[in-house]
């Protein structure tokens, strides 16, 4: 897997804060803007939340496109537990998809990657990478990648300066918060740094 693809794969996520909100991030690779990633969260009629995320990245070298990435996901949550997920991803024309839902005390996940497809059964209370919802992050020692379907063991460490470090077996993600609100993200892999910088934040229905 190419370094740029690996960097992006480990960041795909969505989670559930306590109110309707939208986050718009500019995305940078080695300091150069390559696209944007938007997260929208809104309450549903059943007391849970719906989370939608859309990412569009394009990397060019000497004006020639060398990497194209599109990702969309819709997740439904009840508290800190995912009840369903549907996602689609295209990386340089190659497609993958997730379709999962909580059924009879477990979470059943179907994964499609190009011509391969498989299903897996996870615990009943699953979370994706809840970057902006610290309460959800703190409740889970495994997180679901909403692009690949991998279910990763993670460790969370926070500092007094609003910095949080999320570690998995093969990567580390640095997160920054101000007044308990997610502000930025960065990760380094194979000498390349991917960063999310908050462009605009809009929220309604309360505050954190």
């Amino acid at each position: 897997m190419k370094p740029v693809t690996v960097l992006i794969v480990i960041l795909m996520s969505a989670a559930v804060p306590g109110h309707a909100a939208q986050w718009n991030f500019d995305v940078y690779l080695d300091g150069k803007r390559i696209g944007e990633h938007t997260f929208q969260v809104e309450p549903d009629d059943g007391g849970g939340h719906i989370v939608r995320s859309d990412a569009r990245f394009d990397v060019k070298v000497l004006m020639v496109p060398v990497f194209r990435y599109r990702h969309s996901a819709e997740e439904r949550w009840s508290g800190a537990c995912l009840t369903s997920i549907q996602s689609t991803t295209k990386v340089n024309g190659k497609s993958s998809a997730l379709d999962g839902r909580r059924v009879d005390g477990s979470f059943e996940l179907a994964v499609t990657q190009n011509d391969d497809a498989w299903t897996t059964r996870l615990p009943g209370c699953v979370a994706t990478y809840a970057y902006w919802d610290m309460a959800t992050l703190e409740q889970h020692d495994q997180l679901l990648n909403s692009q690949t379907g991998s279910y990763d063991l993670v460790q969370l460490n926070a500092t007094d300066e609003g910095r949080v470090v999320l570690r998995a077996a093969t990567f580390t993600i640095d997160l920054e918060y101000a007044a308990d609100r997610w502000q930025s993200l960065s990760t380094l892999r194979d000498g390349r740094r991917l960063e999310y910088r908050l462009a605009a934040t809009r929220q309604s229905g309360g505050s954190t």
Side-chain angles (χ1 to χ4, degrees), residues 25-29 32-37 55-59 69-70 195-197:
F25 285 95
D26 290 323
V27 181
Y28 295 81
L29 180 65
K32 182 178 180 180
R33 188 180 185 279
I34 60 169
E36 59 275 334
H37 197 159
R56 300 172 61 88
F57 308 153
D58 292 281
V59 179
Y69 179 90
R70 301 292 186 265
E195 297 179 89
Y196 279 30
R197 303 175 189 173

